C-alpha cells in the first residue's frame, strides 16, 4: 500500500516549529480570497472566510488549517494556501452526491488522498501569484512526506495513478 504523504506532521517537522521553514509558507492573506472563491465556485464549492482568532469549522488538523463541511471550505487569513487547496481537492475528487455528508474528514482512501495531493498542485496554477512550484515547496516545508523525498519528485515521477484517477473522472 502506498501513501504519498504522512497523515500528520511529525513533532520534528517544520510545521511543529513556528520559526522553521513552514512559517514562510504562503498564507491566504497574501493572495486574498477573491481568486480562491472563484476557483472553488467553478467546482461547485463555497469558500467561507473565518474571522481572525476564531476556530476554523471542519478543520481536521486544527490551528490555521482549512476545514470542510459539506460543499464549504473554511479558511482564515493565516490559513496556508496549500491547506485550502488540499481540503478543496478532497471535496472535488468526491462525487457531488457524497459531498453533503462530509464533515472534517473527507476520506480514508489512499487513492483519493493521492488524487487530492495531485489536484492541489494543479489547482495552484489557477491562483495568481501561487503556481505549482511554490505550492510544492510549501508542501515540503509544511511537512508533507513523499516516497521520493519531495512533492516535486512525487508529482513528476510517481503520481501516474493519481493523474489517471483524476482523468477518469474528468477532473483534469
Amino acid at each position: 500500500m502506498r501513501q504519498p504523504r504522512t497523515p500528520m506532521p511529525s513533532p520534528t517537522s517544520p510545521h511543529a516549529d513556528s520559526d522553521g521553514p513552514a512559517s514562510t509558507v504562503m498564507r491566504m492573506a497574501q493572495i486574498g480570497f477573491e481568486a480562491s472563491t472563484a476557483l472553488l465556485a467553478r467546482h461547485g464549492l463555497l469558500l467561507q472566510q473565518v474571522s481572525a482568532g476564531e476556530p476554523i469549522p471542519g478543520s481536521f488538523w486544527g490551528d490555521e488549517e482549512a476545514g470542510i463541511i459539506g460543499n464549504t471550505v473554511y479558511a482564515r487569513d493565516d490559513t496556508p494556501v496549500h491547506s485550502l487547496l488540499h481540503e478543496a481537492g478532497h471535496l472535488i475528487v468526491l462525487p457531488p452526491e457524497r459531498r453533503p455528508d462530509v464533515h472534517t474528514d473527507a476520506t480514508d482512501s489512499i487513492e483519493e488522498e493521492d488524487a487530492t495531493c495531485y489536484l492541489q498542485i494543479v489547482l495552484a496554477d489557477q491562483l495568481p501569484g501561487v503556481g505549482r512550484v511554490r505550492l510544492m515547496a510549501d508542501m515540503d516545508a509544511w511537512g508533507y512526506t513523499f516516497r521520493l523525498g519531495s512533492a516535486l519528485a512525487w508529482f513528476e515521477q510517481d503520481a501516474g495513478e493519481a493523474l489517471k484517477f483524476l482523468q477518469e473522472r474528468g477532473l483534469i
Side-chain angles (χ1 to χ4, degrees):
M1 197 184 278
R2 56 186 210 87
Q3 195 165 7
R5 75 175 204 143
T6 57
M8 93 172 137
S10 71
T12 59
S13 78
H15 175 78
D17 174 7
S18 63
D19 295 328
S23 65
T24 63
V25 300
M26 187 174 282
R27 308 287 175 151
M28 291 302 297
Q30 293 171 261
I31 67 167
F33 281 73
E34 187 175 326
S36 299
T37 298
L39 173 61
L40 271 57
R42 290 194 294 272
H43 294 280
L45 304 176
L46 301 171
L47 175 55
Q48 178 67 50
Q49 187 172 1
V50 178
S51 298
E54 292 295 318
I56 298 175
S59 178
F60 185 83
W61 301 112
D63 298 323
E64 66 270 15
E65 296 279 353
I68 50 175
I69 300 174
N71 291 321
T72 304
V73 180
Y74 297 86
R76 296 188 309 229
D77 282 343
D78 64 339
T79 297
V81 174
H82 69 80
S83 177
L84 172 90
L85 292 176
H86 188 84
E87 296 308 321
H90 271 300
L91 293 177
I92 294 167
V93 303
L94 287 176
E97 64 273 8
R98 283 185 48 205
R99 292 178 187 171
D101 296 328
V102 171
H103 193 300
T104 308
D105 191 7
T107 186
D108 290 327
S109 163
I110 292 172
E111 183 178 46
E112 287 179 5
E113 184 69 33
D114 287 358
T116 296
C117 287
Y118 193 98
L119 185 60
Q120 80 184 94
I121 293 167
V122 172
L123 291 174
D125 286 338
Q126 297 178 41
L127 292 177
V130 182
R132 67 181 61 190
V133 172
R134 172 60 192 258
L135 192 85
M136 286 187 278
D138 285 359
M139 290 168 72
D140 291 340
W142 199 253
Y144 286 69
T145 56
F146 293 89
R147 246 185 348 190
L148 298 180
S150 72
L152 178 62
W154 173 78
F155 185 79
E156 291 181 341
Q157 301 169 38
D158 195 33
E161 291 174 25
L163 175 59
K164 182 179 176 188
F165 177 98
L166 294 167
Q167 288 172 330
E168 287 174 349
R169 287 153 182 81
L171 299 172
I172 291 189

